[in-house]
Amino acid sequence: MEIENILKLLSPVGVIAGVAKIIYEHSSSSKHKLRDDYRFAKDFLKDMEHPDGLHHLAVQRGYYALAGTTSINVTDIAYLISLENPDKSLKDYALARNYVALLQS
């Protein structure tokens, strides 16, 4: 009888520990993703200062990686990251691109 009661108590504790581990891994993975995004953006923009050394395909792929999607034109991405708040501009435009026309001057 005592073993059954102990097992009944350990089962929920195990489930709670498993859920806590999943939540912890999810929160720490988002921090790592942000760090990786920062490093990539920093390196890519540094490489863009010397456009002679980059192939146009690498430039396009870099812009797509910055935007997180390939459904936005490279020229639009370049314009959006030149704005005052580029992260918000990219996210907002990605969500609303079907309804927005960029006026580049």
Side-chain angles (χ1 to χ4, degrees):
M1 285 269 197
E2 290 180 21
I3 293 175
E4 290 177 7
N5 291 336
I6 292 172
L7 289 177
K8 287 180 183 178
L9 290 174
L10 287 179
S11 296
V13 170
V15 170
I16 291 171
V19 170
K21 181 181 178 197
I22 291 171
I23 291 172
Y24 174 76
E25 288 177 356
H26 178 69
S27 67
S28 66
S29 68
S30 63
K31 290 178 187 176
H32 291 293
K33 184 180 180 326
L34 288 174
R35 286 187 198 130
D36 290 341
D37 289 347
Y38 164 75
R39 287 187 189 113
F40 173 78
K42 180 180 167 186
D43 292 340
F44 176 70
L45 294 174
K46 185 188 287 185
D47 290 344
M48 286 299 295
E49 292 174 0
H50 308 289
D52 299 335
L54 285 179
H55 191 271
H56 64 279
L57 179 63
V59 172
Q60 286 181 342
R61 297 286 168 93
Y63 278 125
Y64 289 148
L66 282 178
T69 183
T70 59
S71 62
I72 304 174
N73 293 331
V74 173
T75 54
D76 293 343
I77 297 169
Y79 172 71
L80 290 167
I81 65 171
S82 71
L83 298 176
E84 187 174 322
N85 192 351
D87 188 44
K88 185 172 178 6
S89 300
L90 274 172
K91 287 178 184 176
D92 290 349
Y93 182 73
L95 292 173
R97 70 180 170 272
N98 294 331
Y99 309 105
V100 174
L102 287 179
L103 301 175
Q104 299 176 3
S105 49

